[in-house]
Amino acid sequence: MNVVVDTATHQYQGDMKVVYTNKSPETLDKVFWHLFFNAFQPGSMMDVRSRSISDPDRRVGSRIVELPEDEWGWQRIESVKVNGKTVAFVEDGTILEVALPRALRPGKSVTFELEWKAQVPRQIRRSGWMNKEGVEYSMTQWYPKLCEFDHHGWHTNPYIGREFHGIWGNFNVHIHLPEGYGIGATGVKQSTTSAPLPTGLAGTIHHYKASNVIDFAWAADPDFIEETVDADGVTLRLIHKANAEIDSNWTLLADYAAKAMAYINEDIGPYMYPEYTVIQGGDGGMEYPMITLITGERSLRSLVGVTVHEMAHSWFQGMVATNESLHEWMDEGFTSWAESRCMASLFADPMKPDENPHKWAYASYINQNLSGNEEPLITHADHYKTNRAYGVGAYSKGEVLVEQLGAVMGTEVRDEAMRTYFKNWAFKHPGPNDFKREMERASGLELDWYFQYMMHTTDAVDYAVETVVNDEGTVTVEMSRRGGMPMPQDVTLTWEDGSVTRVHIPLVMMRGHRALAEGEILAADWPWVDVNYTLEVPSQGKLSAVTLDANGLQADVHRDNNAITFDLDREQEARQSN
Ligand SMILES: [Zn+2]
């Protein structure tokens, strides 16, 4: 791909040659390409959507319809050749359709040559010219990008500003800019060559190569400065506009980012590319292969937080690359889960060793569930009724889904299973069932019910201790499932002297149970059809409390009914109830 940028008009001329191999078992008679920039013009689906949704993204709102024409975004295809022959094509909003003169059989390749002209839109969402921090070029979703054809068929979603799905490919890109621009991009820089631009201006051609990546992004600005550090064997580049107010935070960020890379390498699996770039640009934080664009004028903690989140995407968006439009929670949720663990390690608070790193995800999900506005996770990312329901579902409930598995299969087995999932599914576009099966193989449990409830319903976990009777040497605990979603239960009986008895109650439909802790009692399975359950445990004296889910792994939406506590000064024969 070659692009020549005219910075006076923020337009560029592009051409590319793509060798496309049909690795599917089906014969293809056409192919589709994304033309994302066409979303940034009045009347586009993205414009209409962002003006009609009840809770618009503040970065978009009505900004597209208000753009002057010289700040619109567009991509105009000038020619398409298939195996050297010019063919017809149809531009339909953000999608380009190209009919193949000869059907492409499984295993066969075809060569496309495209020429196009584009105008970089004023930076509104993710991509564009001149972001709010003055970065000139945030070049993401910027070139005609092949749509993915997979076992689900074609994915030609009109761009409305949300998630992506892409094909792995090898990129060889020449970016011709005026002299003096700093740049960062997906891939590894091969060379920098001086060459005049067509306007006669002195210019520089920046040449990058990237292998096995699902996208190619870059950013450029005349004021960029760069620091490079080694991060667990990966070259980490930090690039931002020289600015005395933020320079020191970015210098400190280098060390945190290097530690984060090492942590996630250990926690999930090895990062498989030679470089990673954190560059100032865009409108918040957005992940791309081998690079992230983040806004840079932040506190150190915020700078580290966004960097860790976007970096963690390298595993779930970049390498595993689930279709994030269909299964947004497998990208954003898993990424948020990994981010929370990494942040807890980077900012460990010795005063709060037991603090739950995922507490914000739980609180956000529970709050949304109780509001009545939750939408099921199977909703296509573009089609949630509100931005909030999408955000809480994808990020918070997705994070909860992974963390809460710890209550079902045990946290150590879950952690190991996440590593196995990454190892087995990197570069394979897994879906929910692939993930479920990894969790099942690791735990030996049947987990259909868990994924069915978490993905397809908005039923929540709410278990309660109803009554406790401590009488004649036996403690009788009456419990109930008040919420729609069944879960195995962990009961903790705390005695007067502070010692505890732990009991695990599996569900019948799990066909087994997680490993028990030392001394933990295994009680009879709880059939989901029965909302009530009676537990009997030998009494060890006076009780101070009976608690469900004491370690807080379950997203129980009413924790206030999870325990009955006793006033130790009073007799305990009396029936206590919640
Ligand atoms: Zn994310």
Side-chain angles (χ1 to χ4, degrees):
M1 179 153 54
N2 302 291
V3 294
V4 182
V5 184
D6 179 350
T7 50
T9 57
H10 42 94
Q11 295 180 355
Y12 77 87
Q13 188 72 40
D15 65 76
M16 66 173 156
K17 186 172 174 180
V18 181
V19 180
Y20 177 68
T21 304
N22 179 7
K23 292 191 173 174
S24 84
E26 297 189 44
T27 296
L28 304 177
D29 56 2
K30 56 190 164 188
V31 296
F32 298 89
W33 309 65
H34 296 283
L35 303 174
F36 296 110
F37 274 2
N38 288 346
F40 299 97
Q41 39 186 274
S44 72
M45 285 180 69
M46 181 167 173
D47 172 39
V48 172
R49 170 71 167 171
S50 53
R51 284 186 290 122
S52 53
I53 197 164
S54 64
D55 61 339
D57 185 322
R58 277 176 296 137
R59 293 168 292 201
V60 187
S62 60
R63 287 180 64 207
I64 296 175
V65 76
E66 290 160 6
L67 282 176
E69 200 167 339
D70 61 356
E71 294 186 1
W72 292 3
W74 45 255
Q75 278 162 312
R76 292 182 191 146
I77 303 299
E78 294 174 331
S79 70
V80 180
K81 285 183 186 168
V82 177
N83 290 337
K85 285 198 190 120
T86 301
V87 299
F89 57 88
V90 179
E91 268 193 60
D92 180 13
T94 56
I95 297 292
L96 167 71
E97 182 177 336
V98 178
L100 297 171
R102 284 186 57 196
L104 184 64
R105 294 200 311 278
K108 299 292 178 189
S109 297
V110 63
T111 302
F112 297 102
E113 287 163 88
L114 270 71
E115 288 180 331
W116 75 99
K117 193 168 171 60
Q119 178 164 288
V120 184
R122 160 70 73 160
Q123 200 277 344
I124 287 184
R125 186 72 183 96
R126 298 191 177 115
S127 194
W129 166 77
M130 198 54 70
N131 85 345
K132 70 173 185 187
E133 295 180 344
V135 173
E136 259 192 71
Y137 289 99
S138 301
M139 298 295 281
T140 64
Q141 290 86 40
W142 62 280
Y143 61 96
K145 182 182 164 189
L146 273 162
C147 296
E148 176 68 304
F149 178 85
D150 62 17
H151 56 290
H152 288 275
W154 279 109
H155 299 280
T156 63
N157 307 320
Y159 185 50
I160 61 158
R162 217 163 250 158
E163 305 280 346
F164 304 98
H165 187 36
I167 313 171
W168 283 285
N170 301 326
F171 286 73
N172 186 12
V173 182
H174 295 85
I175 301 163
H176 199 168
L177 283 163
E179 207 172 49
Y181 275 73
I183 183 170
T186 297
V188 177
K189 195 165 208 174
Q190 306 295 306
S191 63
T192 315
T193 315
S194 293
L197 286 154
T199 53
L201 220 64
T204 307
I205 297 173
H206 305 267
H207 179 202
Y208 285 88
K209 280 188 177 180
S211 299
N212 231 3
V213 290
I214 53 167
D215 203 352
F216 187 98
W218 57 282
D221 190 274
D223 300 328
F224 272 159
I225 53 173
E226 176 173 332
E227 283 179 59
T228 306
V229 294
D230 174 81
D232 209 17
V234 175
T235 302
L236 185 65
R237 298 182 190 280
L238 295 106
I239 304 174
H240 68 281
K241 281 173 84 83
N243 170 349
E245 285 179 23
I246 63 168
D247 288 352
S248 62
N249 278 352
W250 276 74
T251 298
L252 293 169
L253 172 64
D255 184 45
Y256 280 104
K259 283 183 179 143
M261 177 66 76
Y263 180 90
I264 308 173
N265 275 339
E266 186 80 26
D267 198 34
I268 307 293
Y271 178 82
M272 296 185 210
Y273 301 107
E275 297 199 7
Y276 188 73
T277 297
V278 181
I279 192 164
Q280 187 180 7
D283 56 5
M286 182 60 194
E287 68 279 9
Y288 296 95
M290 301 179 70
I291 190 170
T292 177
L293 276 69
I294 64 170
T295 45
E297 295 169 9
R298 298 164 176 266
S299 68
L300 178 64
R301 175 79 187 227
S302 167
L303 205 53
V304 175
V306 70
T307 299
V308 169
H309 177 89
E310 307 311 338
M311 182 187 279
H313 269 299
S314 299
W315 280 259
F316 298 107
Q317 188 238 21
M319 292 184 273
V320 169
T322 291
N323 181 338
E324 44 180 298
S325 290
L326 286 181
H327 317 297
E328 52 280 4
W329 56 276
M330 294 180 69
D331 174 30
E332 295 298 352
F334 293 11
T335 294
S336 298
W337 181 77
E339 171 203 353
S340 295
R341 290 161 71 91
C342 183
M343 286 298 281
S345 113
L346 293 180
F347 293 93
D349 182 348
M351 304 304 287
K352 298 177 187 166
D354 297 325
E355 192 163 50
N356 177 0
H358 309 281
K359 69 178 183 185
W360 294 112
Y362 277 67
S364 147
Y365 156 65
I366 289 170
N367 181 33
Q368 178 74 355
N369 176 271
L370 294 175
S371 78
N373 297 320
E374 190 192 345
E375 296 175 49
L377 289 185
I378 49 158
T379 309
H380 186 289
D382 290 348
H383 293 265
Y384 280 85
K385 291 184 186 69
T386 64
N387 277 317
R388 181 170 173 76
Y390 154 76
V392 176
Y395 292 73
S396 304
K397 193 177 184 183
E399 179 172 348
V400 166
L401 186 147
V402 179
E403 184 58 16
Q404 186 177 248
L405 272 172
V408 180
M409 58 200 277
T411 52
E412 284 170 25
V413 173
R414 188 270 326 276
D415 291 356
E416 195 54 43
M418 290 300 281
R419 285 186 275 275
T420 307
Y421 168 67
F422 173 72
K423 186 163 149 252
N424 289 348
W425 291 97
F427 303 105
K428 288 184 186 162
H429 289 323
N433 194 59
D434 304 315
F435 179 70
K436 187 200 78 152
R437 289 295 296 127
E438 287 296 350
M439 299 300 117
E440 290 188 334
R441 278 189 281 266
S443 64
L445 303 174
E446 263 187 54
L447 299 173
D448 307 40
W449 59 277
Y450 184 78
F451 288 89
Q452 195 70 23
Y453 275 97
M454 289 297 283
M455 288 167 55
H456 292 258
T457 80
T458 56
D459 287 339
V461 177
D462 179 17
Y463 279 81
V465 180
E466 299 291 350
T467 64
V468 175
V469 177
N470 186 3
D471 193 15
E472 294 177 1
T474 301
V475 178
T476 305
V477 184
E478 296 285 353
M479 289 168 276
S480 71
R481 172 169 62 81
R482 296 188 186 182
M485 176 162 170
M487 278 289 283
Q489 288 303 304
D490 292 308
V491 190
T492 305
L493 293 89
T494 308
W495 306 101
E496 186 180 26
D497 64 359
S499 65
V500 295
T501 299
R502 291 200 171 88
V503 184
H504 182 59
I505 310 173
L507 295 168
V508 174
M509 58 192 163
M510 291 161 59
R511 298 286 156 221
H513 60 85
R514 62 161 171 77
L516 300 175
E518 203 182 322
E520 191 172 25
I521 296 169
L522 180 65
D525 290 354
W526 186 333
W528 70 267
V529 292
D530 204 340
V531 295
N532 299 308
Y533 186 97
T534 304
L535 174 70
E536 291 189 343
V537 181
S539 178
Q540 292 180 24
K542 279 191 178 180
L543 275 168
S544 73
V546 175
T547 311
L548 290 177
D549 184 39
N551 56 16
L553 282 169
Q554 304 199 11
D556 191 310
V557 294
H558 293 294
R559 294 206 76 84
D560 51 339
N561 61 28
N562 276 32
I564 286 182
T565 54
F566 296 92
D567 181 346
L568 288 166
D569 296 332
R570 284 175 51 189
E571 288 301 307
Q572 295 206 2
E573 284 72 33
R575 175 172 283 257
Q576 296 278 330
S577 64
N578 206 329

